[in-house]
Amino acid sequence: MSDPDFSQPRHFSDVVLSVEGTKFHVHRSTLSMWSPVFEKMFTSEFVERDAKEITLPGKKADEIEVLLKIMYSQGRARQIREENCQFLLELAEEYQMDTVKELCCEYLSGNVQDTTCVKFYMIAERFRLDSLLKETLQQTKYLPWRTLDQDAYFDKLPDKTKLEICKTRIQELEKTLAEYVNTCSSLVDAVYRKVAEKVQTTECDNYEVHRCGVSERFKLSCKCCRRRVQYAECDLEYWIFRTQLKKLFDLEHYNKTARECKG
């Protein structure tokens, strides 16, 4: 479907927007439906109420044309691109066009990547796009510091925002490190205990460690127990450690933070 042509009068068009000398033939009803600002302009005691032509000073013709195409096109979402989102959001704010704002937010949310998340974070913060703000912050916390440090948009962020991003990244790193430690500790404990079941048939004689009252052949905190296990010859079935090993693999394979920081 071809884009609408505003250069000539269209079906029942009743007002002309003049921008940088370019004429856009449009409808008061359509403008009013999309924008409370235009609605008030056409229904209150403003000079534009009955004007046949309205000049929009300070606006750019190509930007207004994109905005009008969104308003008049059935496939309005395809009009939105990364290069025009910023000015569309600015126009949407000025003319209180919530639908345009939502469409821009949807586009940006669908295109959050490592290379765009800081830039989109700035846009989300400026235009109060809460859902996009959370999504970009979620993506940013996986970026290695050297990437952030070299990002021109990150350098432009206010110190308060930089602190929030760094705080979120530290929390993610701490969470990842804790998961690694807990999983590795669980795996080590499981290996030692399984070997001990096979090779350590008598109670350990290290009474200083084992005198807690509970009779047990193996205790991980006991050096004697660990030494007996370390030098034992024993075949182990893989399935016993499958859960812990899978978790370690998932952490290594899917967690970007751990992988990037390791490099």
Side-chain angles (χ1 to χ4, degrees), residues 109-151:
S109 293
N111 290 274
V112 174
Q113 301 173 9
D114 290 355
T115 55
T116 61
C117 58
V118 177
K119 177 183 177 180
F120 290 0
Y121 183 96
M122 289 180 62
I123 296 174
E125 191 174 49
R126 177 182 174 185
F127 295 102
R128 302 176 299 282
L129 306 175
D130 293 338
S131 61
L132 179 62
L133 197 63
K134 292 178 183 177
E135 189 171 349
T136 50
L137 185 59
Q138 178 74 14
Q139 184 78 11
T140 302
K141 72 182 182 182
Y142 290 113
L143 296 179
W145 172 251
R146 62 178 176 272
T147 300
L148 286 175
D149 196 38
Q150 295 171 2
D151 193 308

Short mmCIF file of all heavy atoms in Angstrom, two decimals, residues 109-151:
data_model
loop_
_atom_site.label_atom_id
_atom_site.label_comp_id
_atom_site.label_asym_id
_atom_site.label_seq_id
_atom_site.Cartn_x
_atom_site.Cartn_y
_atom_site.Cartn_z
N SER A 109 11.56 -1.06 22.01
CA SER A 109 11.61 -2.27 22.84
C SER A 109 11.94 -3.49 22.01
O SER A 109 12.65 -4.40 22.47
CB SER A 109 10.27 -2.48 23.56
OG SER A 109 10.04 -1.47 24.51
N GLY A 110 11.45 -3.51 20.78
CA GLY A 110 11.71 -4.65 19.90
C GLY A 110 13.08 -4.63 19.26
O GLY A 110 13.46 -5.58 18.57
N ASN A 111 13.84 -3.57 19.49
CA ASN A 111 15.17 -3.45 18.86
C ASN A 111 16.27 -3.15 19.86
O ASN A 111 17.31 -2.59 19.51
CB ASN A 111 15.13 -2.35 17.79
CG ASN A 111 14.31 -2.73 16.58
OD1 ASN A 111 14.82 -3.36 15.65
ND2 ASN A 111 13.04 -2.37 16.58
N VAL A 112 16.04 -3.50 21.12
CA VAL A 112 17.07 -3.32 22.14
C VAL A 112 18.17 -4.37 21.94
O VAL A 112 17.90 -5.56 21.93
CB VAL A 112 16.47 -3.45 23.56
CG1 VAL A 112 17.58 -3.40 24.61
CG2 VAL A 112 15.46 -2.34 23.81
N GLN A 113 19.39 -3.90 21.74
CA GLN A 113 20.55 -4.77 21.55
C GLN A 113 21.71 -4.21 22.35
O GLN A 113 21.62 -3.12 22.92
CB GLN A 113 20.92 -4.86 20.07
CG GLN A 113 19.81 -5.39 19.17
CD GLN A 113 20.18 -5.30 17.70
OE1 GLN A 113 21.31 -5.00 17.34
NE2 GLN A 113 19.21 -5.56 16.84
N ASP A 114 22.82 -4.96 22.37
CA ASP A 114 24.00 -4.47 23.09
C ASP A 114 24.46 -3.11 22.57
O ASP A 114 24.92 -2.27 23.34
CB ASP A 114 25.16 -5.48 22.94
CG ASP A 114 24.90 -6.75 23.72
OD1 ASP A 114 23.87 -6.81 24.43
OD2 ASP A 114 25.70 -7.69 23.62
N THR A 115 24.33 -2.91 21.26
CA THR A 115 24.83 -1.67 20.65
C THR A 115 23.86 -0.49 20.78
O THR A 115 24.24 0.64 20.50
CB THR A 115 25.13 -1.90 19.16
OG1 THR A 115 23.95 -2.41 18.52
CG2 THR A 115 26.27 -2.90 18.99
N THR A 116 22.62 -0.76 21.18
CA THR A 116 21.62 0.32 21.24
C THR A 116 21.07 0.56 22.63
O THR A 116 20.39 1.57 22.85
CB THR A 116 20.43 0.00 20.31
OG1 THR A 116 19.80 -1.22 20.75
CG2 THR A 116 20.88 -0.15 18.87
N CYS A 117 21.33 -0.34 23.58
CA CYS A 117 20.62 -0.26 24.86
C CYS A 117 20.92 1.02 25.63
O CYS A 117 20.03 1.58 26.27
CB CYS A 117 20.90 -1.50 25.71
SG CYS A 117 22.63 -1.81 26.08
N VAL A 118 22.16 1.52 25.59
CA VAL A 118 22.47 2.75 26.32
C VAL A 118 21.79 3.95 25.68
O VAL A 118 21.21 4.81 26.36
CB VAL A 118 24.00 2.98 26.40
CG1 VAL A 118 24.31 4.29 27.11
CG2 VAL A 118 24.67 1.82 27.12
N LYS A 119 21.82 4.01 24.35
CA LYS A 119 21.14 5.08 23.64
C LYS A 119 19.64 5.05 23.92
O LYS A 119 19.02 6.09 24.21
CB LYS A 119 21.39 4.94 22.13
CG LYS A 119 20.66 5.99 21.28
CD LYS A 119 20.89 5.73 19.81
CE LYS A 119 20.11 6.73 18.96
NZ LYS A 119 20.32 6.50 17.51
N PHE A 120 19.05 3.87 23.86
CA PHE A 120 17.61 3.74 24.11
C PHE A 120 17.28 4.03 25.57
O PHE A 120 16.19 4.51 25.89
CB PHE A 120 17.13 2.34 23.73
CG PHE A 120 17.11 2.08 22.25
CD1 PHE A 120 17.51 3.05 21.34
CD2 PHE A 120 16.70 0.85 21.74
CE1 PHE A 120 17.50 2.81 19.96
CE2 PHE A 120 16.67 0.59 20.38
CZ PHE A 120 17.09 1.58 19.49
N TYR A 121 18.22 3.74 26.47
CA TYR A 121 18.02 4.06 27.89
C TYR A 121 17.89 5.57 28.06
O TYR A 121 17.03 6.06 28.80
CB TYR A 121 19.19 3.53 28.72
CG TYR A 121 19.04 3.76 30.21
CD1 TYR A 121 18.53 2.75 31.03
CD2 TYR A 121 19.39 4.96 30.81
CE1 TYR A 121 18.37 2.94 32.39
CE2 TYR A 121 19.24 5.16 32.16
CZ TYR A 121 18.73 4.15 32.95
OH TYR A 121 18.58 4.36 34.31
N MET A 122 18.75 6.32 27.36
CA MET A 122 18.68 7.78 27.41
C MET A 122 17.32 8.29 26.91
O MET A 122 16.71 9.18 27.51
CB MET A 122 19.80 8.40 26.56
CG MET A 122 21.19 8.25 27.12
SD MET A 122 22.43 9.02 26.04
CE MET A 122 21.91 10.73 26.06
N ILE A 123 16.87 7.71 25.80
CA ILE A 123 15.58 8.11 25.23
C ILE A 123 14.45 7.76 26.20
O ILE A 123 13.54 8.58 26.44
CB ILE A 123 15.35 7.41 23.87
CG1 ILE A 123 16.41 7.88 22.86
CG2 ILE A 123 13.95 7.66 23.35
CD1 ILE A 123 16.36 7.14 21.53
N ALA A 124 14.49 6.56 26.77
CA ALA A 124 13.44 6.13 27.70
C ALA A 124 13.39 7.04 28.92
O ALA A 124 12.30 7.38 29.41
CB ALA A 124 13.70 4.69 28.13
N GLU A 125 14.55 7.42 29.41
CA GLU A 125 14.60 8.29 30.59
C GLU A 125 14.07 9.68 30.27
O GLU A 125 13.31 10.27 31.04
CB GLU A 125 16.04 8.37 31.10
CG GLU A 125 16.17 9.03 32.46
CD GLU A 125 17.58 8.95 32.99
OE1 GLU A 125 18.52 9.29 32.22
OE2 GLU A 125 17.78 8.56 34.14
N ARG A 126 14.43 10.19 29.11
CA ARG A 126 14.00 11.54 28.72
C ARG A 126 12.49 11.63 28.54
O ARG A 126 11.86 12.60 28.98
CB ARG A 126 14.71 11.95 27.44
CG ARG A 126 14.26 13.32 26.92
CD ARG A 126 14.93 13.67 25.62
NE ARG A 126 14.38 14.90 25.08
CZ ARG A 126 14.73 15.40 23.89
NH1 ARG A 126 15.63 14.78 23.14
NH2 ARG A 126 14.17 16.52 23.46
N PHE A 127 11.91 10.61 27.92
CA PHE A 127 10.48 10.67 27.59
C PHE A 127 9.62 9.83 28.55
O PHE A 127 8.46 9.58 28.27
CB PHE A 127 10.26 10.22 26.15
CG PHE A 127 10.88 11.13 25.13
CD1 PHE A 127 12.08 10.79 24.52
CD2 PHE A 127 10.29 12.35 24.82
CE1 PHE A 127 12.67 11.65 23.59
CE2 PHE A 127 10.87 13.21 23.90
CZ PHE A 127 12.07 12.86 23.28
N ARG A 128 10.24 9.39 29.65
CA ARG A 128 9.51 8.68 30.71
C ARG A 128 8.79 7.43 30.17
O ARG A 128 7.62 7.20 30.44
CB ARG A 128 8.51 9.62 31.41
CG ARG A 128 9.17 10.83 32.02
CD ARG A 128 8.16 11.79 32.62
NE ARG A 128 7.24 12.30 31.61
CZ ARG A 128 7.55 13.27 30.74
NH1 ARG A 128 8.74 13.83 30.77
NH2 ARG A 128 6.67 13.67 29.84
N LEU A 129 9.53 6.63 29.42
CA LEU A 129 9.01 5.37 28.87
C LEU A 129 9.41 4.26 29.85
O LEU A 129 10.46 3.63 29.71
CB LEU A 129 9.57 5.11 27.48
CG LEU A 129 9.38 6.25 26.46
CD1 LEU A 129 10.08 5.92 25.15
CD2 LEU A 129 7.89 6.51 26.22
N ASP A 130 8.60 4.03 30.85
CA ASP A 130 8.97 3.17 31.97
C ASP A 130 9.30 1.74 31.55
O ASP A 130 10.28 1.16 32.02
CB ASP A 130 7.85 3.16 33.02
CG ASP A 130 7.69 4.52 33.69
OD1 ASP A 130 8.66 5.30 33.66
OD2 ASP A 130 6.61 4.79 34.24
N SER A 131 8.47 1.16 30.69
CA SER A 131 8.72 -0.23 30.28
C SER A 131 10.03 -0.35 29.51
O SER A 131 10.79 -1.31 29.70
CB SER A 131 7.56 -0.75 29.42
OG SER A 131 7.41 0.02 28.24
N LEU A 132 10.32 0.62 28.65
CA LEU A 132 11.58 0.61 27.90
C LEU A 132 12.76 0.85 28.83
O LEU A 132 13.84 0.29 28.66
CB LEU A 132 11.54 1.67 26.80
CG LEU A 132 12.80 1.80 25.93
CD1 LEU A 132 13.07 0.50 25.17
CD2 LEU A 132 12.66 2.95 24.94
N LEU A 133 12.56 1.69 29.84
CA LEU A 133 13.62 1.98 30.80
C LEU A 133 14.05 0.70 31.52
O LEU A 133 15.25 0.42 31.66
CB LEU A 133 13.12 3.02 31.81
CG LEU A 133 14.18 3.75 32.64
CD1 LEU A 133 15.08 4.58 31.75
CD2 LEU A 133 13.52 4.62 33.70
N LYS A 134 13.08 -0.10 31.95
CA LYS A 134 13.39 -1.35 32.64
C LYS A 134 14.07 -2.33 31.70
O LYS A 134 15.02 -3.03 32.09
CB LYS A 134 12.10 -1.96 33.19
CG LYS A 134 11.47 -1.17 34.32
CD LYS A 134 10.18 -1.81 34.78
CE LYS A 134 9.51 -0.97 35.89
NZ LYS A 134 8.22 -1.56 36.30
N GLU A 135 13.60 -2.38 30.46
CA GLU A 135 14.16 -3.34 29.50
C GLU A 135 15.60 -3.00 29.13
O GLU A 135 16.46 -3.88 29.05
CB GLU A 135 13.29 -3.36 28.24
CG GLU A 135 13.65 -4.46 27.27
CD GLU A 135 12.64 -4.59 26.14
OE1 GLU A 135 11.56 -3.97 26.22
OE2 GLU A 135 12.95 -5.32 25.18
N THR A 136 15.88 -1.72 28.91
CA THR A 136 17.25 -1.31 28.55
C THR A 136 18.19 -1.46 29.73
O THR A 136 19.36 -1.83 29.56
CB THR A 136 17.27 0.14 28.05
OG1 THR A 136 16.57 0.99 28.98
CG2 THR A 136 16.60 0.26 26.69
N LEU A 137 17.70 -1.19 30.94
CA LEU A 137 18.53 -1.37 32.12
C LEU A 137 18.87 -2.85 32.31
O LEU A 137 19.99 -3.20 32.67
CB LEU A 137 17.81 -0.84 33.36
CG LEU A 137 18.61 -0.85 34.67
CD1 LEU A 137 19.88 -0.02 34.54
CD2 LEU A 137 17.76 -0.34 35.82
N GLN A 138 17.90 -3.72 32.03
CA GLN A 138 18.12 -5.16 32.11
C GLN A 138 19.20 -5.60 31.14
O GLN A 138 20.06 -6.42 31.46
CB GLN A 138 16.80 -5.90 31.81
CG GLN A 138 16.90 -7.41 31.80
CD GLN A 138 17.02 -7.98 33.20
OE1 GLN A 138 16.78 -7.29 34.18
NE2 GLN A 138 17.42 -9.23 33.30
N GLN A 139 19.20 -5.03 29.93
CA GLN A 139 20.20 -5.39 28.91
C GLN A 139 21.56 -4.78 29.24
O GLN A 139 22.60 -5.42 29.05
CB GLN A 139 19.73 -4.89 27.53
CG GLN A 139 20.63 -5.28 26.38
CD GLN A 139 20.45 -6.73 25.96
OE1 GLN A 139 19.52 -7.38 26.40
NE2 GLN A 139 21.34 -7.21 25.13
N THR A 140 21.55 -3.55 29.76
CA THR A 140 22.80 -2.84 30.04
C THR A 140 23.61 -3.54 31.11
O THR A 140 24.85 -3.52 31.06
CB THR A 140 22.49 -1.39 30.48
OG1 THR A 140 21.75 -0.73 29.46
CG2 THR A 140 23.78 -0.61 30.72
N LYS A 141 22.96 -4.18 32.06
CA LYS A 141 23.70 -4.80 33.16
C LYS A 141 24.53 -6.00 32.70
O LYS A 141 25.36 -6.49 33.45
CB LYS A 141 22.73 -5.22 34.27
CG LYS A 141 21.85 -6.41 33.95
CD LYS A 141 20.92 -6.69 35.12
CE LYS A 141 20.04 -7.91 34.88
NZ LYS A 141 19.10 -8.13 36.00
N TYR A 142 24.32 -6.48 31.46
CA TYR A 142 25.11 -7.58 30.94
C TYR A 142 26.31 -7.10 30.11
O TYR A 142 27.10 -7.92 29.65
CB TYR A 142 24.24 -8.49 30.07
CG TYR A 142 23.22 -9.28 30.86
CD1 TYR A 142 21.87 -9.03 30.70
CD2 TYR A 142 23.62 -10.25 31.76
CE1 TYR A 142 20.92 -9.74 31.42
CE2 TYR A 142 22.68 -10.98 32.49
CZ TYR A 142 21.33 -10.71 32.31
OH TYR A 142 20.40 -11.41 33.03
N LEU A 143 26.44 -5.80 29.92
CA LEU A 143 27.55 -5.29 29.12
C LEU A 143 28.83 -5.24 29.94
O LEU A 143 28.82 -4.83 31.10
CB LEU A 143 27.22 -3.89 28.59
CG LEU A 143 26.05 -3.76 27.63
CD1 LEU A 143 25.86 -2.30 27.24
CD2 LEU A 143 26.27 -4.60 26.38
N PRO A 144 29.97 -5.63 29.34
CA PRO A 144 31.25 -5.47 30.04
C PRO A 144 31.60 -4.00 30.18
O PRO A 144 31.16 -3.17 29.39
CB PRO A 144 32.24 -6.19 29.11
CG PRO A 144 31.60 -6.15 27.76
CD PRO A 144 30.12 -6.22 28.00
N TRP A 145 32.38 -3.69 31.19
CA TRP A 145 32.68 -2.29 31.48
C TRP A 145 33.37 -1.60 30.30
O TRP A 145 33.10 -0.44 30.00
CB TRP A 145 33.55 -2.16 32.72
CG TRP A 145 34.04 -0.76 32.92
CD1 TRP A 145 35.30 -0.28 32.77
CD2 TRP A 145 33.22 0.37 33.25
NE1 TRP A 145 35.33 1.07 32.99
CE2 TRP A 145 34.08 1.50 33.29
CE3 TRP A 145 31.86 0.54 33.51
CZ2 TRP A 145 33.61 2.77 33.59
CZ3 TRP A 145 31.40 1.81 33.82
CH2 TRP A 145 32.26 2.90 33.85
N ARG A 146 34.28 -2.31 29.61
CA ARG A 146 34.99 -1.66 28.51
C ARG A 146 34.04 -1.21 27.41
O ARG A 146 34.29 -0.22 26.73
CB ARG A 146 36.06 -2.59 27.94
CG ARG A 146 35.55 -3.88 27.33
CD ARG A 146 36.70 -4.71 26.75
NE ARG A 146 36.23 -5.99 26.24
CZ ARG A 146 36.13 -7.07 26.99
NH1 ARG A 146 36.46 -7.03 28.27
NH2 ARG A 146 35.71 -8.22 26.48
N THR A 147 32.92 -1.94 27.23
CA THR A 147 31.92 -1.54 26.23
C THR A 147 31.22 -0.26 26.67
O THR A 147 31.03 0.66 25.88
CB THR A 147 30.90 -2.66 26.01
OG1 THR A 147 31.59 -3.82 25.54
CG2 THR A 147 29.85 -2.25 24.98
N LEU A 148 30.83 -0.21 27.93
CA LEU A 148 30.17 0.99 28.46
C LEU A 148 31.11 2.19 28.41
O LEU A 148 30.72 3.30 28.04
CB LEU A 148 29.71 0.75 29.90
CG LEU A 148 28.49 -0.15 30.09
CD1 LEU A 148 28.25 -0.38 31.58
CD2 LEU A 148 27.25 0.47 29.45
N ASP A 149 32.35 1.96 28.80
CA ASP A 149 33.32 3.05 28.88
C ASP A 149 33.60 3.67 27.52
O ASP A 149 33.94 4.85 27.42
CB ASP A 149 34.61 2.52 29.51
CG ASP A 149 35.52 3.64 29.98
OD1 ASP A 149 35.00 4.66 30.49
OD2 ASP A 149 36.75 3.51 29.83
N GLN A 150 33.44 2.88 26.45
CA GLN A 150 33.71 3.37 25.10
C GLN A 150 32.44 3.84 24.39
O GLN A 150 32.49 4.30 23.26
CB GLN A 150 34.38 2.27 24.27
CG GLN A 150 35.75 1.88 24.78
CD GLN A 150 36.31 0.65 24.09
OE1 GLN A 150 35.70 0.09 23.19
NE2 GLN A 150 37.48 0.21 24.53
N ASP A 151 31.30 3.73 25.07
CA ASP A 151 30.02 4.11 24.47
C ASP A 151 29.82 5.63 24.62
O ASP A 151 29.79 6.16 25.73
CB ASP A 151 28.88 3.37 25.17
CG ASP A 151 27.57 3.47 24.40
OD1 ASP A 151 27.16 4.61 24.07
OD2 ASP A 151 26.94 2.43 24.13
#
